[in-house]
Amino acid sequence: MPDRVRLQIRVDNQLREQLRELLVRLRTLAHSPHPPFRHWGSIRESLVAEAALRLVMQAIGSTPQPPSPQELEEQSVTTLREFLEEWAEAGVAASICPYLVLRGSLAVVGSLGIKKGDGPPWRHTSDIYKLYVAEALLRRTTRKRAREAYKKLLARYPTASDLASAPPTDVREVLRGTGLTKRAEKLIEGAARLKESEKSLRATAEEGLVSLRRQLKEIPLVGDYTADALALHSFGLVTLPLDGNALRVLWRALKGVEPPQGLRDPYRDTETKLMRKKLLMHSPLRTAQLAHFAILDIGWDHCRPKHPRCDTCPIAMTCRLAHFRLLYSK
Ligand code: SF4
C-alpha cells in the first residue's frame, strides 16, 4: 500500500492541504493499537478511500465540509456508510450517497492498481487500434489467451494500417494456438474500418456518446461493451462498459443482492443502466476510467460469480452485500 495516492481530480490548494492533513490523521488512526476497522483486511485502503470520497464530493460542490480529523477520531467512525449517513443528514441527497461512495472507492482502487502496474498491457493505452484489438479478443476468449494474442498481434502489426493490409493466412498464423484464428478476417476488416473512419469517429465523439456508440458498433467485432470501452478510454467520454463483472459489482455493492437470475446482457436491463447513470453522475473522466479498471479487477479477483471473496475485497467496506454477509455470519 503506497503512502500517497495521486487522484486525477482538480482541487484547489486549500482542499489539497485539508486532504494532506486528513491523510496524516487517518494513517495515524490506522496504525493505532485498536483500529476501529480491525475486522477488515483492507483497512488502510478503506481509509484512503474515505479521503478520496471527500475529494470527489467536494469536487462536485455538493457536500458540506467533512468532519475535522479531531472529530473523526472522537467519533470512531467505522464505515464509509456512516460518514455518508452523517452527510446525508447534513443535507446531501441520501439516494446519491452510496453511488458517490462506491465511485470514490473504485477510483482509489483503480488508481492503486495503475500505480502498482497491475492489469493487462492494454490498460496503459488510449490508442483506438490497440484497445479495439484488446476488446475484440477479450470478448471472445479468456484473459490469458487474449493477453497472449494481443502481444503477438501488436508485435507483428503495430498499427491499424499494418493489420488492415495483412493477408488473412498470416494473421491466422499469428493467432495460431490462441483459439482465435477464426477471428482473423473480422479483425482485419475492423482494422481497415478503424483506419478509414478514425477522423469521422473523432468528429462524431463531439456529438456525444449515443452517436459515437452507434458509429462504433458498425465496426466488426464491436458490440455495446467494446463501444463503451473505446468511448471511455480512447474518445474521452464518460461511460462505464457493462459486462458480467460490472453487473455483479453494481448489484452486490449498491443493492446488496445478486443480479436478477437469467440476466445475461446488462445492456438490456433498465435497472442496471440506471445504477450506472447514478454512479457516473457528474463524474470526472479519469474517475470513470479508474472505476472501470477497478470493476474489472474486483470482478476477476474478488467478486466471483459463485463465491465472492469479500474478506479480501478492497471495496468491502462500501459494499452492501458484504455488510449483510458480515451481519448474518455472526
Ligand atoms: S465485497 Fe464481496 S460482494 Fe462486495 S464487491 Fe467485493 S467481493 Fe463483491
Side-chain angles (χ1 to χ4, degrees):
M1 173 80 187
D3 280 341
R4 279 162 195 265
V5 178
R6 186 188 289 276
L7 288 171
Q8 304 290 324
I9 297 171
R10 196 172 297 156
V11 292
D12 60 22
N13 284 341
Q14 192 194 349
L15 185 54
R16 191 170 291 118
E17 200 45 52
Q18 282 177 350
L19 179 76
R20 206 190 331 268
E21 196 188 31
L22 181 65
L23 281 174
V24 170
R25 291 301 191 124
L26 286 172
R27 257 187 248 125
T28 313
L29 186 62
H31 289 296
S32 74
H34 304 293
F37 304 90
R38 61 174 166 269
H39 297 300
W40 299 90
S42 52
I43 160 179
R44 284 196 289 159
E45 284 90 330
S46 305
L47 291 171
V48 177
E50 285 165 10
L53 175 68
R54 286 147 194 266
L55 263 183
V56 173
M57 294 185 82
Q58 290 205 3
I60 68 163
S62 69
T63 176
Q65 289 296 309
S68 70
Q70 285 87 347
E71 283 172 333
L72 188 64
E73 284 188 8
E74 280 161 22
Q75 289 163 358
S76 293
V77 177
T78 52
T79 65
L80 275 169
R81 191 165 291 276
E82 282 182 33
F83 274 124
L84 287 170
E85 278 162 11
E86 258 174 53
W87 289 342
E89 274 170 27
V92 180
S95 63
I96 294 177
C97 286
Y99 292 85
L100 280 173
V101 175
L102 183 63
R103 194 169 87 201
S105 308
L106 289 172
V108 174
V109 174
S111 173
L112 291 174
I114 296 274
K115 260 182 116 88
K116 285 193 282 177
D118 288 354
W122 50 84
R123 184 154 296 181
H124 307 281
T125 183
S126 58
D127 184 285
I128 308 171
Y129 164 64
K130 290 180 183 168
L131 281 173
Y132 165 74
V133 170
E135 293 299 344
L137 299 173
L138 266 175
R139 295 297 94 206
R140 281 141 194 102
T141 187
T142 60
R143 247 201 315 175
K144 193 171 165 225
R145 284 192 155 181
R147 195 186 279 243
E148 192 189 326
Y150 175 86
K151 279 190 183 159
K152 284 182 174 179
L153 267 176
L154 268 285
R156 181 75 175 266
Y157 310 111
T159 67
S161 305
D162 296 327
L163 182 57
S165 55
T169 43
D170 286 7
V171 179
R172 275 198 289 274
E173 192 52 41
V174 173
L175 292 172
R176 186 184 295 278
T178 62
L180 290 158
T181 47
K182 284 186 192 153
R183 299 279 147 194
E185 276 85 358
K186 293 261 183 207
L187 275 166
I188 295 171
E189 205 185 321
R193 290 288 288 278
L194 270 184
K195 189 178 130 227
E196 281 161 20
S197 56
E198 186 169 344
K199 247 191 193 158
S200 82
L201 284 167
R202 297 236 171 256
T204 309
E206 303 279 316
E207 293 168 23
L209 194 55
V210 175
S211 312
L212 180 64
R213 265 198 203 118
R214 196 178 308 124
Q215 192 178 345
L216 282 168
K217 281 165 66 178
E218 288 167 10
I219 297 170
L221 302 178
V222 176
D224 288 310
Y225 182 93
T226 303
D228 270 339
L230 290 172
L232 176 63
H233 298 292
S234 297
F235 293 92
L237 297 183
V238 172
T239 181
L240 179 71
L242 295 173
D243 63 352
N245 293 310
L247 188 67
R248 287 193 304 282
V249 172
L250 291 183
W251 277 83
R252 289 171 172 175
L254 292 165
K255 297 210 174 265
V257 295
E258 295 295 333
Q261 262 197 343
L263 176 57
R264 294 270 171 270
D265 183 0
Y267 282 93
R268 306 284 159 264
D269 183 55
T270 316
E271 190 64 34
T272 308
K273 287 198 280 184
L274 187 63
M275 279 192 265
R276 171 174 74 169
K277 197 172 176 182
K278 288 184 183 176
L279 188 78
L280 296 177
M281 199 183 286
H282 304 299
S283 173
L285 174 65
R286 191 58 184 156
T287 302
Q289 291 172 335
L290 292 172
H292 177 220
F293 295 149
I295 283 181
L296 291 175
D297 290 345
I298 290 168
W300 282 325
D301 298 335
H302 307 280
C303 206
R304 300 288 183 82
K306 284 200 178 142
H307 304 290
R309 300 172 179 170
C310 305
D311 50 341
T312 56
C313 178
I315 61 162
M317 290 190 71
T318 71
C319 174
R320 269 194 150 168
L321 188 65
H323 282 230
F324 293 155
R325 292 178 92 199
L326 188 72
L327 276 177
Y328 294 122
S329 69
K330 281 191 171 177

